[in-house]
Amino acid sequence: MDILITIGVVLVVIIAYIGINALRLKKAVTNLTQEQFIEGYRKAQLIDVREQKEFDAGHILGARNVPSTTLRQRYKEIRPDLPVYLYCQNTGRSSRAALFLKKRGYNQIYQLQGGFKTWTGKIKAKKY
């Protein structure tokens, strides 16, 4: 019986954690479809938070690479007074980047729904 109670408590904690994170994320970032993303990213700061190697393999035309692993040191390169359009491969890293930026006073944060893997627009790749 004690095991069932323990499992129940753990499940409640996990569900609460997921719910709280979902609410925090909803307040921090606006998800945009590819069409909505295309409409606004030229008037914004387009940031690819994937690692340099991923960026070099192919990125959205006009994007700047600020890997999520260096965001803590480089976030001041991103202007807080302009919209920020983020993307990564899926949406995990860009979501975490959005939360990080929101805590530092950035308010106009948008992310590409589905990430780069769903992008069908123009891309640029480094030639080796």
Side-chain angles (χ1 to χ4, degrees):
M1 191 67 171
D2 288 339
I3 292 174
L4 290 177
I5 293 171
T6 304
I7 291 172
V9 169
V10 169
L11 284 175
V12 167
V13 169
I14 290 171
I15 291 168
Y17 176 79
I18 291 169
I20 289 168
N21 274 343
L23 286 173
R24 284 179 52 220
L25 187 57
K26 190 172 184 170
K27 287 181 180 180
V29 67
T30 303
N31 282 303
L32 300 176
T33 65
Q34 179 171 314
E35 293 75 28
Q36 293 169 320
F37 201 80
I38 289 170
E39 283 176 23
Y41 83 81
R42 286 191 178 89
K43 300 176 202 121
Q45 303 168 93
L46 180 58
I47 309 294
D48 183 329
V49 296
R50 299 175 303 155
E51 293 303 312
Q52 186 71 48
K53 190 174 179 181
E54 295 170 287
F55 181 81
D56 290 345
H59 59 271
I60 297 173
L61 202 59
R64 185 167 31 137
N65 187 225
V66 180
S68 59
T69 54
T70 64
L71 189 61
R72 285 190 183 283
Q73 294 81 32
R74 297 182 56 195
Y75 77 92
K76 289 186 179 176
E77 295 174 24
I78 303 168
R79 290 181 52 181
D81 60 323
L82 294 174
V84 179
Y85 277 55
L86 299 170
Y87 73 92
C88 63
Q89 195 63 26
N90 297 304
T91 55
R93 289 177 278 181
S94 58
S95 296
R96 287 189 297 278
L99 286 170
F100 176 82
L101 292 173
K102 182 71 174 177
K103 283 182 186 174
R104 277 141 189 91
Y106 293 76
N107 293 313
Q108 301 175 72
I109 308 170
Y110 305 89
Q111 116 179 313
L112 177 60
Q113 187 175 312
F116 185 72
K117 71 174 182 170
T118 64
W119 182 257
T120 59
K122 292 182 181 179
I123 64 165
K124 182 176 182 181
K126 206 174 214 181
K127 293 182 173 93
Y128 293 99

